[in-house]
Amino acid sequence: MIHIPPDWVLATTHIASEYVSRQFLALIGRWPNAIPPLELDFVMLMACSKLAGTLADAYWNPVTINLDVARYADVLHMVEKGINPALEDSLLARYPPEAQIHLDRATVVCDKFGMIIFWYLPGTIDLPVQNDMVAATAKMSVPLARSVMRGAATNDNWRTHSSNFYPSQSKGTPGCINLSPAWFLQGHPVPKFHPQVLATLKEFNGQSFSQAMYRLAALIAAALRVMHPKLYWSSLATKLALWLWAADKKLDEMGDHLREWALVFTALTIMCNRHSLLHRDPLSCPQWFDVMTTFSNYGVASMKMPNLGIEIAYPAGCMVGRSE
């Protein structure tokens, strides 16, 4: 059992995840109903209860695709990163999906061997929690605006190139930034590179942002606890190990940010009004999970995954967990 210091924001996150996990197991018929923890406020408690219900709905609505995700991931590791439409067309011709699936209700997608590779949870995030994130994102309007690049679009800068952003319908600032109390670049081994607090978190009221997003962070952690328990516990252990490392190196600023960070993940990306192109990041594996959420007020949106033959409705308040 991992002990989380009680003065960490992550301690409340862990309480929420424990409640959601137990209530999820109760809803699918394996445990008695969970007792609501007194440490959670009313908004957080209602949000956790709704999340547990949506996770259970998805669990009982599986969709199977004829794909061996582990072997497919091995093929993807041999191709280049970034954007290459011709390569994507070639892979699609080599591994065509058997059917085109449109999802608009809570669902889990499994590969041919029953491995869950995708959790689709629409309507999971209530308006009060979405409003928290609108307020938190407003605190990051300066770095969001600075993140947008102009000039020639390349295979490396598409994530922040101006051609992929649209004006906001809710007065948000278009942009794309990363936040992390202990950022570590993939492919940069020690001792030449060590974790560091990203400038966006240090320079632009990072503590206030962390406080504003704690409810959503707790929901993301709780969802991960159900979707991928091993990754959840591994992430907690990593956070504590990073804090001990920072204390040993006398990196007080990193230690402070880790105590204030409510996410089990060590990094968060905020994308405001961005069109994400079909792309790949090769330094991943199918055993890892990302969690994505949406918030605010916008029109019809969708997410397409041509290689899986899946398209989902992607309204505000949606949560998606997917294998990388």
Side-chain angles (χ1 to χ4, degrees), residues 58-130:
Y59 180 81
W60 290 120
N61 185 38
V63 170
T64 300
I65 59 175
N66 187 26
L67 177 71
D68 180 347
V69 68
R71 291 191 63 185
Y72 186 64
D74 289 339
V75 173
L76 296 184
H77 282 177
M78 294 185 288
V79 302
E80 64 187 47
K81 67 177 181 178
I83 302 168
N84 188 331
L87 180 59
E88 300 300 335
D89 291 342
S90 173
L91 284 169
L92 196 58
R94 185 179 174 186
Y95 301 99
E98 286 190 341
Q100 298 298 315
I101 303 169
H102 180 80
L103 302 179
D104 58 8
R105 54 177 290 206
T107 306
V108 292
V109 177
C110 307
D111 79 348
K112 64 190 296 182
F113 297 112
M115 178 187 293
I116 297 177
I117 60 174
F118 194 84
W119 288 76
Y120 175 53
L121 308 172
T124 299
I125 305 170
D126 285 333
L127 192 58
V129 181
Q130 292 188 50

Side-chain angles (χ1 to χ4, degrees), residues 204-221:
F204 298 101
N205 203 4
Q207 181 179 9
S208 178
F209 175 86
S210 297
Q211 292 171 349
M213 64 167 283
Y214 96 90
R215 287 193 180 111
L216 181 63
L219 292 179
I220 291 172

Side-chain angles (χ1 to χ4, degrees), residues 160-175:
T160 54
H161 194 266
S162 59
S163 60
N164 293 319
F165 291 94
Y166 303 90
S168 173
Q169 299 174 359
S170 57
K171 299 182 181 180
T173 303

Side-chain angles (χ1 to χ4, degrees), residues 17 20-21 23-25 27-28 47-61 106-108 116 119-122 124 219-228 319 321:
S17 72
V20 170
S21 176
Q23 188 61 16
F24 167 78
L25 290 173
L27 291 170
I28 64 174
C48 286
S49 298
K50 186 172 186 178
L51 173 60
T54 310
L55 285 162
D57 290 344
Y59 180 81
W60 290 120
N61 185 38
T107 306
V108 292
I116 297 177
W119 288 76
Y120 175 53
L121 308 172
T124 299
L219 292 179
I220 291 172
L224 185 67
R225 174 80 175 268
V226 172
M227 296 174 183
H228 199 327
M319 181 182 291

Side-chain angles (χ1 to χ4, degrees), residues 10-313:
L10 196 62
T12 302
T13 294
H14 185 56
I15 291 170
S17 72
E18 182 73 13
Y19 172 64
V20 170
S21 176
R22 290 177 177 271
Q23 188 61 16
F24 167 78
L25 290 173
L27 291 170
I28 64 174
R30 297 183 181 176
W31 282 24
N33 282 331
I35 298 175
L38 298 177
E39 294 88 345
L40 302 182
D41 62 38
F42 180 78
V43 172
M44 189 73 250
L45 187 60
M46 292 299 99
C48 286
S49 298
K50 186 172 186 178
L51 173 60
T54 310
L55 285 162
D57 290 344
Y59 180 81
W60 290 120
N61 185 38
V63 170
T64 300
I65 59 175
N66 187 26
L67 177 71
D68 180 347
V69 68
R71 291 191 63 185
Y72 186 64
D74 289 339
V75 173
L76 296 184
H77 282 177
M78 294 185 288
V79 302
E80 64 187 47
K81 67 177 181 178
I83 302 168
N84 188 331
L87 180 59
E88 300 300 335
D89 291 342
S90 173
L91 284 169
L92 196 58
R94 185 179 174 186
Y95 301 99
E98 286 190 341
Q100 298 298 315
I101 303 169
H102 180 80
L103 302 179
D104 58 8
R105 54 177 290 206
T107 306
V108 292
V109 177
C110 307
D111 79 348
K112 64 190 296 182
F113 297 112
M115 178 187 293
I116 297 177
I117 60 174
F118 194 84
W119 288 76
Y120 175 53
L121 308 172
T124 299
I125 305 170
D126 285 333
L127 192 58
V129 181
Q130 292 188 50
N131 289 339
D132 286 348
M133 283 309 298
V134 171
T137 303
K139 299 178 186 296
M140 290 292 163
S141 58
V142 172
L144 281 168
R146 290 181 181 177
S147 72
V148 178
M149 299 177 62
R150 290 165 176 81
T154 69
N155 196 36
D156 294 324
N157 72 3
W158 69 268
R159 288 177 175 81
T160 54
H161 194 266
S162 59
S163 60
N164 293 319
F165 291 94
Y166 303 90
S168 173
Q169 299 174 359
S170 57
K171 299 182 181 180
T173 303
C176 177
I177 59 173
N178 295 312
L179 298 166
S180 174
W183 182 259
F184 190 90
L185 290 175
Q186 289 179 318
H188 290 68
V190 295
K192 294 182 179 179
F193 187 87
H194 291 290
Q196 57 183 295
V197 182
L198 282 185
T200 45
L201 204 57
K202 291 192 293 185
E203 298 174 10
F204 298 101
N205 203 4
Q207 181 179 9
S208 178
F209 175 86
S210 297
Q211 292 171 349
M213 64 167 283
Y214 96 90
R215 287 193 180 111
L216 181 63
L219 292 179
I220 291 172
L224 185 67
R225 174 80 175 268
V226 172
M227 296 174 183
H228 199 327
K230 288 184 179 179
L231 183 58
Y232 174 84
W233 290 108
S234 177
S235 297
L236 286 185
T238 299
K239 292 283 292 298
L240 291 168
L242 281 169
W243 181 76
L244 291 172
W245 177 83
D248 180 65
K249 301 296 182 181
K250 295 182 171 51
L251 301 175
D252 295 339
E253 185 178 42
M254 180 180 292
D256 291 342
H257 281 289
L258 284 167
R259 281 193 296 270
E260 297 160 0
W261 190 252
L263 278 169
V264 288
F265 293 104
T266 55
L268 167 72
T269 299
I270 300 176
M271 295 176 285
C272 184
N273 281 59
R274 193 189 77 181
H275 169 63
S276 294
L277 305 178
L278 186 63
H279 67 284
R280 66 178 70 261
D281 298 308
L283 296 175
S284 298
C285 63
Q287 292 82 9
W288 298 348
F289 255 58
D290 278 340
V291 177
M292 297 172 286
T293 63
T294 59
F295 60 90
S296 194
N297 179 30
Y298 57 86
V300 178
S302 64
M303 181 189 296
K304 298 180 181 179
M305 292 151 282
N307 58 330
L308 302 180
I310 294 174
E311 179 178 351
I312 64 171

